[in-house]
Amino acid sequence: MRTAHLVVTLLAALMAGFSGAVLLLRARWIVRALTDYRVPRSWWTWLGLAKVAGAAGLVVGLFVPLIGVLAGVGLVLYFTGAAVTVARARWYAHVPFPLVYAAPVVGALVLGWA
């Protein structure tokens, strides 16, 4: 179980970190999506930093479990909010994307609990 928790947590951290990095680096495809979803440009840096911090928190959580749980809950809330934002923008076909990023975080939380 420990190995599964380690692998899923690192995958979740990698995915969240990647998602934050492409936002911070203003990748063309993410800028286009955020513009389509009507996310204010002034939020983009903070949103990217939140994802990168959550990814770091997941890794630290392997050594300090409370930090990992807090980071995981924060990321789940973040990606849930992202799914709501996408739905509010009526891009229903894109709703699964933030949920794909949330899934390994949920998995890491569940495996950490077990």
Side-chain angles (χ1 to χ4, degrees), residues 1-38:
M1 191 64 85
R2 175 76 178 144
T3 302
H5 178 242
L6 177 67
V7 169
V8 172
T9 300
L10 291 176
L11 174 65
L14 180 68
M15 289 175 66
F18 168 78
S19 182
V22 295
L23 180 51
L24 291 172
L25 295 173
R26 302 293 194 262
R28 187 174 304 151
W29 58 273
I30 197 72
V31 166
R32 187 173 0 156
L34 290 176
T35 302
D36 289 342
Y37 306 150
R38 296 185 305 268

Side-chain angles (χ1 to χ4, degrees), residues 73-95:
V73 169
L75 284 170
V76 168
L77 291 172
Y78 178 96
F79 290 121
T80 301
V84 169
T85 298
V86 172
R88 288 187 62 189
R90 299 181 188 267
W91 284 79
Y92 301 116
H94 293 190
V95 170

